[in-house]
Amino acid sequence: MNGLIWFVILYWVISVGIGLYAARYVKNSKDYAVAGRSLPIYVVTATVFATWFGSETVLGIPASFLKDGLNGVVADPFGSSLCLIFVGLFFARPLYRMNLLTIGDYYRQKFGRAVEVMVTICIVISYLGWVAAQIKALGLVFNVVSGGAITMETGMIVGAASVLIYTLMGGMWSVAITDFLQMIIIVVGMLYIGWEVSGIVGGPSVVVAHAANAGKLNFWPATSGGGREILWFFAAWITMMLGSIPQQDVFQRVASSKDEKTAGRASILGGVLYFGFAFIPMFLAYSATMIDPKMVAGLIDKDPQLILPTLIMTKVPLFAQVMFFGALLSAIKSCASATLLAPSVTFTENILKGLLPVQTDKQFLFGMRCVVLVFTAIVTLFALHTESSIYKMVENAYKITLVAAFVPLAFGLYWKPATRQGALAAILLGLATWILFEALAPDGYWPPQLVGVLASLGGMVAGSLLPQFVRPGSGTAPVTN
């Protein structure tokens, strides 16, 4: 136990030091926000993969898989992987050509200031759950490896503060360099621990056969539930598949690339890698049901997120523990740093800059860092006071961007008749119907986020084709491939 704690401390110090070293490359706000648009494909691919391979992948997805099988993880990794692939195929190149600092800049150029502000607020709010999930996971790790000596709350505060240090100073440069190193640790660590646990249970085929017999590999919804089951399955799938496309962290990786080909290819490669490696934690967690069924039975309803860490702490040697928690810490830190930076940059660029238009670049950069600090404090407080699971916190984070931001982005790029009036109608109708259904029928026949995105679609089409009562903004012409 003591050896594991010292490993965690050493790893933490080294990774923070590397992040601070990367801060030397930050000369201006563009360096801080998008690493000077200069990153090669292997670094961009690594940061795409490492950003998405977070706490929900190692702790949240396996817990949901144990309870509901593949049908319960349709949002992530299935939806999330397709999101990255779709970004690479349809969104990366046209957005890269626009030479923007944030995704909010696109909405301003295409639809005007009002749309920019509304979408930016939705994007920033959506990050609360995602970042809070990473901070909550940091608290869990510190609590587990210390044998309870460090409380969850203390672990959250320490973890958030340390990630803040290098994100605050180095921005996207620190995120990119640490992500590249952390991807290596994640890949090596996950492969090694998978091999170690596989040896205990008798090989992957034994685990897969056991899971199939238990019905855990059934992916499609049961037809016996009628149309409701199909609707909820589809809604869960598109929540992350489409709702995470108009996100600043995704856009930052596109914009940080050295050219548009790199932006598209790196996103696709990152999505494919993520999909493949996301199944390793599921394999490990299900192996726990065969290795220690009593432990799993005791935690499955109480706190299933602890099943995998408990298995590692009790059933494998110290070196395997070091490899697992090294990979887990890398996954959490890479995701946390990226999701702290993304909303802070877009809030500064698309909200504060409009309120304080006369600024030097040095003042603008200082403002970004101040917002990173404030946002970190807010999400840490949110993480300390929420009871939601890591998986649900991440999944729910994308509902607001699904209903408010996806349709204006996609139609603005690929539908020439799209107008400012249509975008405003899409945002307002999408949000209003989603909130209404969440309040009145959150578990009804129709999933609230599905109703919201359909209303958003209707608002965009009707608002764009009907007589224009909203004065056109200073948008650009539609951008297409």
Side-chain angles (χ1 to χ4, degrees), residues 24-149:
R24 64 196 290 266
Y25 295 107
V26 177
K27 307 300 181 183
N28 52 51
S29 60
K30 193 172 185 179
D31 289 336
Y32 190 80
V34 292
R37 291 169 65 89
S38 61
L39 301 180
I41 188 168
Y42 61 90
V43 175
V44 181
T45 301
T47 194
V48 168
F49 171 83
T51 297
W52 283 70
F53 202 98
S55 62
E56 72 282 358
T57 313
V58 183
L59 302 175
I61 293 175
S64 297
F65 174 72
L66 288 181
K67 297 182 74 173
D68 303 313
L70 286 181
N71 182 263
V73 295
V74 59
D76 194 7
F78 290 93
S80 54
S81 301
L82 281 173
C83 161
L84 295 173
I85 293 171
F86 286 168
V87 167
L89 291 174
F90 304 112
F91 295 91
R93 296 190 181 201
L95 287 174
Y96 187 89
R97 292 186 203 123
M98 296 179 72
N99 193 24
L100 307 171
L101 190 68
T102 69
I103 189 68
D105 289 345
Y106 164 79
Y107 292 96
R108 181 182 69 251
Q109 288 195 20
K110 177 62 187 175
F111 299 116
R113 174 66 174 166
V115 173
E116 171 197 17
V117 171
M118 293 170 68
V119 171
T120 297
I121 291 173
C122 291
I123 289 173
V124 171
I125 291 173
S126 74
Y127 276 97
L128 283 174
W130 194 5
V131 186
Q134 311 313 312
I135 293 173
K136 192 171 184 179
L138 287 173
L140 185 148
V141 171
F142 280 114
N143 179 257
V144 169
V145 299
S146 68

Side-chain angles (χ1 to χ4, degrees), residues 138-144 146-158 384:
L138 287 173
L140 185 148
V141 171
F142 280 114
N143 179 257
V144 169
S146 68
I150 300 175
T151 65
M152 282 276 293
E153 291 75 15
T154 301
M156 289 185 206
I157 294 171
V158 172
L384 288 168

Side-chain angles (χ1 to χ4, degrees), residues 385-440:
H385 293 92
T386 185
E387 298 297 327
S388 299
S389 70
I390 291 171
Y391 187 84
K392 284 299 178 185
M393 288 170 72
V394 172
E395 181 184 358
N396 291 336
Y398 296 108
K399 291 180 180 179
I400 187 170
T401 46
L402 172 67
V403 304
F406 173 72
V407 169
L409 173 62
F411 275 65
L413 286 174
Y414 288 104
W415 193 52
K416 289 185 178 181
T419 66
R420 181 171 182 254
Q421 179 173 284
L424 288 169
I427 295 168
L428 294 174
L429 284 175
L431 286 172
T433 52
W434 170 59
I435 293 171
L436 181 65
F437 272 71
E438 286 283 4
L440 300 180

Side-chain angles (χ1 to χ4, degrees), residues 362-385:
K362 186 176 181 180
Q363 290 172 326
F364 184 55
L365 177 58
F366 178 75
M368 284 186 184
R369 286 175 166 147
C370 289
V371 174
V372 170
L373 177 62
V374 173
F375 188 75
T376 303
I378 292 172
V379 295
T380 302
L381 288 173
F382 181 71
L384 288 168
H385 293 92

Side-chain angles (χ1 to χ4, degrees), residues 27-330:
K27 307 300 181 183
N28 52 51
S29 60
K30 193 172 185 179
D31 289 336
Y32 190 80
V34 292
R37 291 169 65 89
S38 61
L39 301 180
I41 188 168
Y42 61 90
V43 175
V44 181
T45 301
T47 194
V48 168
F49 171 83
T51 297
W52 283 70
F53 202 98
S55 62
E56 72 282 358
T57 313
V58 183
L59 302 175
I61 293 175
S64 297
F65 174 72
L66 288 181
K67 297 182 74 173
D68 303 313
L70 286 181
N71 182 263
V73 295
V74 59
D76 194 7
F78 290 93
S80 54
S81 301
L82 281 173
C83 161
L84 295 173
I85 293 171
F86 286 168
V87 167
L89 291 174
F90 304 112
F91 295 91
R93 296 190 181 201
L95 287 174
Y96 187 89
R97 292 186 203 123
M98 296 179 72
N99 193 24
L100 307 171
L101 190 68
T102 69
I103 189 68
D105 289 345
Y106 164 79
Y107 292 96
R108 181 182 69 251
Q109 288 195 20
K110 177 62 187 175
F111 299 116
R113 174 66 174 166
V115 173
E116 171 197 17
V117 171
M118 293 170 68
V119 171
T120 297
I121 291 173
C122 291
I123 289 173
V124 171
I125 291 173
S126 74
Y127 276 97
L128 283 174
W130 194 5
V131 186
Q134 311 313 312
I135 293 173
K136 192 171 184 179
L138 287 173
L140 185 148
V141 171
F142 280 114
N143 179 257
V144 169
V145 299
S146 68
I150 300 175
T151 65
M152 282 276 293
E153 291 75 15
T154 301
M156 289 185 206
I157 294 171
V158 172
S162 55
V163 173
L164 168 67
I165 292 172
Y166 69 82
T167 306
L168 185 71
M169 299 306 298
M172 190 60 194
W173 268 113
S174 289
V175 170
I177 292 175
T178 54
D179 277 3
F180 178 70
L181 298 174
Q182 286 162 354
M183 175 187 170
I184 296 172
I185 296 172
I186 291 170
V187 169
V188 174
M190 283 291 117
L191 289 175
Y192 177 81
I193 198 66
W195 175 78
E196 186 77 30
V197 172
S198 178
I200 298 175
V201 295
S205 60
V206 175
V207 178
V208 172
H210 195 282
N213 291 333
K216 296 298 182 182
L217 301 187
N218 296 329
F219 178 70
W220 302 107
T223 55
S224 59
R228 183 185 184 279
E229 293 295 326
I230 297 173
L231 288 174
W232 279 85
F233 176 85
F234 180 70
W237 200 334
I238 67 170
T239 296
M240 291 189 72
M241 181 173 66
L242 304 182
S244 41
I245 289 176
Q247 285 284 10
Q248 176 62 16
D249 64 281
V250 176
F251 173 81
Q252 273 183 309
R253 276 121 199 89
V254 169
S256 299
S257 304
K258 66 178 183 178
D259 54 51
E260 64 179 68
K261 288 183 179 180
T262 297
R265 292 170 181 173
S267 184
I268 295 171
L269 285 172
V272 172
L273 281 172
Y274 175 74
F275 184 76
F277 276 89
F279 283 90
I280 297 179
M282 284 189 271
F283 167 80
L284 297 174
Y286 193 81
S287 297
T289 64
M290 304 167 63
I291 297 170
D292 194 347
K294 185 176 180 181
M295 178 271 288
V296 173
L299 290 174
I300 191 70
D301 293 319
K302 182 181 177 182
D303 193 351
Q305 294 165 162
L306 285 173
I307 291 174
L308 186 49
T310 302
L311 172 73
I312 301 301
M313 291 295 293
T314 58
K315 301 298 180 180
V316 300
L318 178 61
F319 182 73
Q321 294 176 18
V322 168
M323 295 297 290
F324 173 79
F325 283 102
L328 177 56
L329 285 170
S330 295

